[in-house]
Every structure is written in structure tokens, then in C-alpha cells.
Amino acid sequence: MVIENLPMWVLFFSQTAVGILGNWSVLLPYVMSIFTRKNLMPKDQIIKHLTLANSLVIISRVIPHILAQLGLHNLLDDLLCKLTLYSNRVSRGISLHCTCLLSCFQAITISPSNSRCMKLKHSISKYMVQSCSLSWLVHLLLNSQTAIDVVGSGTNQNFTMKIKLGYCSAIILSKTATVLHLILICFTDGLCLGLMVWTSVFMVGILYRHRSQLQYIHSALYSLRVSPEHRATKTILILVCTFVLSYAMSFILVLYTTLFNNPKLWVISIFTFLDTCFPTFCPFILISSNKSSPKNHFSFCR
């Protein structure tokens, strides 16, 4: 390993270790619930799939950079590039879908009791598990083109159109198929991001109206009391904002690797680190919002 790559290697390794430990500390109680046959709430079902997807995002995103910083470029062949890029696109799509679903579910939960949204709450709760499981199948099929177009940077085959993705490359076999695939990906991502923004604005409006109502109440004890629903809403708003920033970093990285023929690897490494911040810090945001999380984790482990 080159001595200049040591700080970047330590940075990626630390991010991977912290992210994996954090996500699996949240995921472990849900895994144990399978053996204890404990029924999970709809929100817990979403968080279970979200933490699993975040773990895959971190592993698939950081492993190529760690291998490259160690000087093991030869290991990044076609198979490893296809596996890491494909799993990264699938897990990132699942993370986007679960964050959107979590935001929508929380917006329905805190909606007024006389609203039409409350009528949807019970019907949505029934199909929550099916929706999370179905999203894995949808994104596996949706990103299948990635497994075909990605090759290792060291491949000797000649292609007319080839885009460098850092330590791997993407080939364009058919412009029509590539454009249609990008349109489909952008449509699904834009739909989820649009729903996240709309539900976030909706929840902020509800919190603002609730705060305005509390100003007319003179009881200091009641005004200082924060309901679990409002605490969960603020946590999800933080998750949504963090995810949007992370998605923006990923979008900038895609534009950079597409527009420049020889992108700088240190620029790709920086944007990759910023892109992976959401799956790294997401479990700690969830844990900090729930005061009883550590107790529940230790009780499950025992």
C-alpha cells in the first residue's frame, strides 16, 4: 500500500466499521424477533429492511475503494465489479424506497384523527411487509442492466463507448436501452424523492400547528411534554434531509464520472465517503431518538 493512500484507507475502514456496527446493532433485535416469534409493528418492518439495505450499501460501496487503497487493483475484475455495483444499486434503491415509505407512514400516523389519512393507516399496515419484500424483487429486476454493462477497468476488450466509474467501468452496448433504463431509474427515484419532500412538508405543517396551539396553554408541564409521535416525526425529518443530501452527492458523482473522460480517483473517493454518510449515521439517528433502544438491544442479546 502506498503511504499516501493510508489516510484514505483509514477513513474508509473506519466508516465501514462504524456503519456496519451501527446498522447491525439496530438490525439484531429484529433478527432475534424471528426466533422469538414476536410480531413487529409496521414501522419496525420498514426499519428492518432499511438497516439491512444500508449495510449492503456500505459494504458494496466501500470495498472497491479499500482494495484500491491497499494496492489490490487486480482483484477488481469483471465479476467483483458487477457484484459490487449491482448490489450497491439494488440496496440504494431499497434504502430510498424504505425511507420514502417510512416518511409516508409517519405522515399518516400523525395526521388528525378526523382526516382521511387515518382510514388508510389500517389498510397500509396490512400490506407493509409485502411492500418491503416486493421492493427487493422490483429493484433486483430494475437494476439487472447494471450487472450486464459493468466491467473491470483492466479488461482488454475494446468497446466503442466506455465510461469510467472509478475503479470499474460501464459500457454502452445500446444507446436506446441505456436511455430507457436511465429514464426508468430517474422516474422511480424522482417519485420517491417527491413523496419524501411532500410528506416532510406535510409533517412540518402539522408540527407547526401543534406548536402554535401549545402557546395558548399556560401549563408549563404540558408544554414541555413531547409525544413519541412528534419525536419520531422529527427523527424521520432528519433522516429525510440526510438522505436527500447523500443522494445529491451521489448525483454529483454520477455527473462527474459521466462528463469527464479521466475522473480523478481522489475526487471519487471524497464523494463516495460523503455519499455513504447516510447509511453510516442512519442507525445512530434511530437509536438516539429512542431512549429505550439500548435496553431493548441488550435484552434481545441476552
Side-chain angles (χ1 to χ4, degrees), residues 67 71-78 80:
L67 292 177
L72 303 176
H73 297 83
N74 297 329
L75 296 179
L76 296 173
D77 54 0
D78 291 353
L80 186 58

Side-chain angles (χ1 to χ4, degrees), residues 22-282:
N23 282 285
W24 278 93
S25 66
V26 177
L27 186 62
L28 181 60
Y30 301 130
V31 175
M32 296 300 295
S33 65
I34 299 176
F35 301 98
T36 58
R37 296 181 179 180
K38 181 181 178 180
N39 295 325
L40 297 177
M41 299 295 291
K43 186 186 296 183
D44 295 329
Q45 294 283 357
I46 304 174
I47 294 177
K48 178 181 68 174
H49 289 270
L50 177 61
T51 52
L52 178 59
N54 286 339
S55 301
L56 294 177
V57 169
I58 295 173
I59 295 174
S60 61
R61 192 67 164 170
V62 177
I63 278 182
H65 292 270
I66 293 180
L67 292 177
Q69 300 301 330
L70 292 174
L72 303 176
H73 297 83
N74 297 329
L75 296 179
L76 296 173
D77 54 0
D78 291 353
L79 180 60
L80 186 58
C81 282
K82 290 178 183 294
L83 182 61
T84 54
L85 265 296
Y86 180 62
S87 59
N88 180 263
R89 296 292 176 85
V90 172
S91 55
R92 174 161 286 278
I94 298 296
S95 179
L96 173 61
H97 177 265
C98 290
T99 307
C100 175
L101 200 61
L102 192 64
S103 178
C104 294
F105 182 79
Q106 188 63 29
I108 296 174
T109 301
I110 68 171
S111 60
S113 57
N114 56 353
S115 177
R116 294 180 180 180
C117 295
M118 292 303 295
K119 298 179 181 180
L120 300 175
K121 181 179 179 180
H122 298 287
S123 59
I124 291 178
S125 301
K126 296 179 182 179
Y127 303 103
M128 194 66 62
V129 181
Q130 291 84 347
S131 175
C132 293
S133 302
L134 183 62
S135 63
W136 286 93
L137 179 61
V138 171
H139 285 90
L140 284 172
L141 297 176
L142 187 62
N143 294 278
S144 59
Q145 187 70 25
T146 303
I148 301 174
D149 295 342
V150 173
V151 295
S153 298
T155 182
N156 297 324
Q157 300 179 8
N158 295 324
F159 300 99
T160 55
M161 297 189 66
K162 189 176 180 181
I163 300 175
K164 290 187 178 181
L165 303 176
Y167 306 105
C168 300
S169 300
I171 58 175
I172 299 178
L173 300 176
S174 174
K175 291 184 178 181
T176 304
T178 303
V179 170
L180 291 177
H181 180 252
L182 289 176
I183 292 175
L184 187 59
I185 293 293
C186 293
F187 174 76
T188 54
D189 290 357
L191 181 61
C192 290
L193 289 173
L195 286 173
M196 288 165 57
V197 172
W198 181 78
T199 53
S200 299
V201 173
F202 178 76
M203 289 187 289
V204 168
I206 291 180
L207 292 179
Y208 178 78
R209 288 195 297 269
H210 178 73
R211 183 178 180 182
S212 300
Q213 292 174 358
L214 288 180
Q215 292 179 354
Y216 295 97
I217 301 177
H218 301 284
S219 176
L221 180 61
Y222 184 79
S223 61
L224 293 176
R225 186 179 303 167
V226 180
S227 64
E229 290 80 7
H230 287 181
R231 187 185 301 115
T233 302
K234 293 179 181 178
T235 302
I236 293 174
L237 289 175
I238 295 175
L239 288 178
V240 170
C241 294
T242 308
F243 185 88
V244 171
L245 292 176
S246 177
Y247 190 88
M249 294 296 104
S250 178
F251 183 74
I252 294 174
L253 179 59
V254 171
L255 290 179
Y256 176 73
T257 55
T258 304
L259 297 178
F260 293 89
N261 294 328
N262 294 312
K264 301 294 184 181
L265 295 180
W266 65 270
V267 177
I268 295 177
S269 299
I270 292 176
F271 276 103
T272 301
F273 175 80
L274 297 176
D275 178 28
T276 323
C277 285
F278 172 77
T280 302
F281 297 111
C282 175

